Amino acid sequence: MTDTPRWPVPWIRAGLDLAVLGSLTRGPRHGYAIAQELAAHGFGLLKGGSLYPVLNRLEEAGSVEAAWVEGTGGPGKRQYHLTAAGRTRLQAELTQWRELADTLSEMARTDDPSTGGTR
């Protein structure tokens, strides 16, 4: 896990909703655990000021639900879980991201016959 993001910050901001949804596919997590999962996958260590507005937005959209879970030996925490609508959104938007990446790759290809093989 690293504090330094693998990608440029604007890319991370653009993909953060999907990354948060993806972090919940293996079960409910509280905010700190989501941040740790994202950091482990190259998003850098997010601050609460970046993560919690995303969680609130996803909750308002019906993509995640939150429940208060009493702590054992410590304070309770809000735990987030992916809803069926969130799972559907994740799959649909991941498809769109793949299409965007494919389009960008196609645009950057250097074997365009109309330009003599280079762009």
Side-chain angles (χ1 to χ4, degrees):
M1 177 176 63
T2 178
D3 290 353
T4 307
R6 186 181 340 171
W7 304 283
V9 172
W11 294 7
I12 290 172
R13 276 192 213 114
L16 194 52
D17 286 22
L18 289 180
V20 169
L21 292 174
S23 75
L24 295 171
T25 58
R26 287 180 282 299
R29 296 176 187 270
H30 54 80
Y32 183 75
I34 293 169
Q36 294 296 309
E37 176 84 4
L38 295 174
H41 283 89
F43 286 82
L45 192 56
L46 299 176
K47 305 291 187 247
S50 298
L51 179 59
Y52 289 102
V54 170
L55 286 166
N56 289 335
R57 188 170 55 248
L58 292 171
E59 188 175 8
E60 287 173 9
S63 298
V64 302
E65 289 181 348
W68 188 257
V69 177
E70 291 298 324
T72 56
K77 299 175 182 171
R78 274 176 68 97
Q79 193 171 60
Y80 299 88
H81 75 271
L82 190 61
T83 64
R87 194 171 298 280
T88 299
R89 174 182 176 177
L90 176 62
Q91 293 309 311
E93 291 185 16
L94 282 175
T95 297
Q96 291 174 322
W97 270 88
R98 287 183 192 106
E99 290 170 359
L100 173 61
D102 290 347
T103 298
L104 292 171
S105 294
E106 178 65 28
M107 291 174 67
R109 282 188 40 210
T110 59
D111 59 350
D112 184 357
S114 67
T115 60
T118 60
R119 285 191 177 187

